[in-house]
């Protein structure tokens, strides 16, 4: 049974009222410029992707051989071109497009547009009124997969708005690792990626979510993400942006509803060219003995502008602990970083919230130390940059960790 028409109509009515509503943060984008609708045919294997497309997918963390993946979901422009689940995990996890899930499960009404509202701004409204798939992943109670599930949201054509809605449900006691890459196969394409993500981690569940953004100089990005974590649940979010982007604005929120639930954000941002980057995270503590941590490392080069936000909000009468750690380095006199940590306590007299934010230049002392040991100045700067952006992210698969380090090293060399 599909989600009821009545509920869909309620969503559309809300969205219609917000179709011109600007977002709180970030520059306002004229969505009427992106009207193309592009459908693609399905492929039988990721190895059959065109070479340029395959290269972009790999740079976004996709394993085209799928040797160390439990399943794959790949969307290009407005079509799901590939979907596969390893036979070993049939009956343990589901992977399909959200449009398909809406047509399949009436109970999805309890998760669809529940923690992200369709009338939040013009971008959520656009996705609600003109959805173009997105992934639905559900792991059944108590299940754990040996390898991550991978997804790739690819754009191969200019002047389109990719309006995806992603839903992940981790049932009780289950554990899921998802690696997702969002990328372009054409470096000169202009367009916008709108991504609604609603994640649910149930009692005792664990979700490790890694996102690699690989955009280009003329591209706009507006993700809207919310996560609900129940009792003893764990959510870990790893995010890397290492390529130029025209404009990106995102401020995901995690609701720690359940007692002893926890969340952690690890964010690596390298601002290049004229990138306008407004990113952050918000953790809301509602349960007892909840814990949250947000760590961000940013580098601003060329004429890039970076806003690095972080909110910790305590709404519990019980103990909770939150920490923000935001550090930035400026590489160019024409670049800017705004570090904006915020701690809020609503009568939470047992909340322990703290933050540390700093912005400074690259250490000349460290550069001179490495140069004294035979490195050129460029080599020394590259090594220090790589070390600064390396968060040593826990739970990150070795293959992705290695990939991010390689991209950081290449990018830091290219930027000089």
């Amino acid at each position: 049974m599909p989600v009821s028409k009545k509920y869909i109509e309620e969503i559309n009515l809300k969205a219609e009222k917000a179709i011109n509503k600007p977002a709180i943060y970030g520059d306002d984008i004229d969505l009427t410029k992106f009207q193309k609708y592009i459908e693609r045919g399905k492929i039988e294997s990721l190895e059959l992707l065109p070479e340029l497309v395959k290269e972009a997918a790999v740079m976004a963390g996709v394993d085209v051989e799928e040797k160390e993946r439990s399943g794959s979901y790949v969307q290009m422009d407005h079509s799901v071109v590939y979907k596969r689940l390893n036979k070993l995990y049939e009956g343990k996890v589901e992977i399909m497009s959200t449009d398909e899930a809406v047509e399949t499960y009436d109970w999805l009404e309890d998760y669809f547009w529940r923690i992200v509202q369709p009338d939040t701004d013009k971008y959520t409204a656009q996705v609600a009124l003109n959805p173009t798939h997105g992934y639905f992943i559900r792991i059944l109670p108590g299940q754990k997969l040996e390898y991550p599930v991978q997804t790739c949201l690819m754009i191969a054509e200019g002047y389109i708005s990719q309006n995806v809605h992603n839903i992940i449900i981790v049932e009780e006691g289950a554990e899921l690792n998802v690696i997702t890459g969002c990328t372009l196969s054409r470096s000169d394409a202009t367009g916008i990626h709108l991504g609604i993500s609603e994640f649910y981690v149930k009692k005792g569940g664990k979700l490790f979510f890694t996102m690699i953004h690989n955009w280009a100089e003329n591209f706009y990005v507006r993700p809207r993400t919310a996560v609900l974590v129940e009792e003893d649940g764990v959510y870990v979010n790893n995010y890397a942006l290492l390529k130029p982007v025209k404009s990106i604005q995102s401020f995901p929120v995690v609701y720690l509803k359940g007692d002893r639930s926890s969340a952690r954000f690890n964010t690596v941002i390298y601002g290049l060219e004229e990138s306008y980057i407004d990113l952050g995270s918000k953790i809301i503590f509602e349960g007892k003995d909840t814990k949250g941590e947000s760590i961000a490392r940013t580098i601003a080069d060329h004429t890039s502008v970076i806003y690095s936000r972080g909110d910790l909000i305590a709404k519990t009468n019980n103990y909770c602990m939150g920490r923000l750690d935001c550090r930035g380095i400026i590489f160019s006199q024409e670049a800017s970083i705004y570090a904006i940590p915020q701690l809020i306590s609503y009568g939470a007299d047992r909340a322990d919230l703290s933050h540390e934010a700093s912005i400074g230049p690259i250490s000349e002392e460290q550069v001179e130390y490495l140069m004294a040991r035979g490195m050129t100045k460029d080599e020394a700067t590259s090594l220090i940059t790589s070390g600064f952006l390396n968060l040593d992210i826990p739970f990150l698969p070795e293959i992705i960790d290695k990939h991010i380090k390689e991209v950081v090293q290449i990018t830091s060399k290219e930027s000089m």
Side-chain angles (χ1 to χ4, degrees), residues 263-313:
R264 179 183 172 110
F265 284 88
N266 301 299
T267 303
V268 175
I269 302 169
Y270 202 145
L272 294 165
E273 307 299 342
E274 298 177 352
S275 298
Y276 185 96
I277 299 165
D278 190 331
L279 296 173
S281 62
K282 180 187 296 185
I283 302 174
I284 300 177
F285 302 84
E286 299 184 22
K288 175 183 175 183
D289 294 334
T290 49
K291 295 180 181 177
E293 190 170 28
S294 182
I295 299 174
R297 296 289 182 270
T298 61
I299 287 180
D301 204 349
H302 304 133
T303 58
S304 63
V305 176
I306 300 176
Y307 286 81
S308 181
R309 304 179 189 275
D311 284 7
L312 300 178
I313 302 174

Side-chain angles (χ1 to χ4, degrees), residues 238-255:
N238 305 311
Y239 177 83
L241 172 66
L242 305 169
K243 289 290 186 181
V245 63
K246 180 72 174 179
S247 170
I248 182 170
Q249 188 274 312
S250 180
F251 199 23
V253 56
V254 174
Y255 300 94

Side-chain angles (χ1 to χ4, degrees), residues 8 63 87 113 172 211 228 230 233 314 330 342 350 366:
I8 298 294
D63 178 0
K87 288 187 178 299
W113 290 111
E172 283 192 14
M211 175 177 282
L228 192 151
E230 295 184 356
I330 292 277
Q342 183 169 240
R350 297 181 63 190
Q366 290 180 359

Side-chain angles (χ1 to χ4, degrees), residues 56-90:
V58 170
M59 289 298 286
V62 173
D63 178 0
V64 294
E65 296 181 354
E66 300 181 88
K67 288 181 178 176
E68 295 184 337
R69 296 292 185 267
S70 297
S72 299
Y73 173 97
V74 177
Q75 180 169 338
M76 187 180 296
D77 296 327
H78 297 130
S79 300
V80 182
V81 298
Y82 185 76
K83 185 182 64 174
R84 176 181 172 271
L85 174 64
N86 188 318
K87 288 187 178 299
L88 289 173
Y89 305 116
E90 287 181 355

Side-chain angles (χ1 to χ4, degrees), residues 211-267:
M211 175 177 282
I212 299 172
H213 269 177
N214 193 36
W215 301 110
E217 296 173 21
N218 296 317
F219 214 80
Y220 299 89
V221 189
R222 291 292 184 272
R224 301 289 182 259
T225 301
V227 186
L228 192 151
V229 187
E230 295 184 356
E231 182 180 342
D232 295 312
V234 175
Y235 176 69
V236 177
N237 185 99
N238 305 311
Y239 177 83
L241 172 66
L242 305 169
K243 289 290 186 181
V245 63
K246 180 72 174 179
S247 170
I248 182 170
Q249 188 274 312
S250 180
F251 199 23
V253 56
V254 174
Y255 300 94
L256 294 178
K257 290 273 187 185
D259 294 346
R260 298 173 300 282
S261 57
S262 67
R264 179 183 172 110
F265 284 88
N266 301 299
T267 303

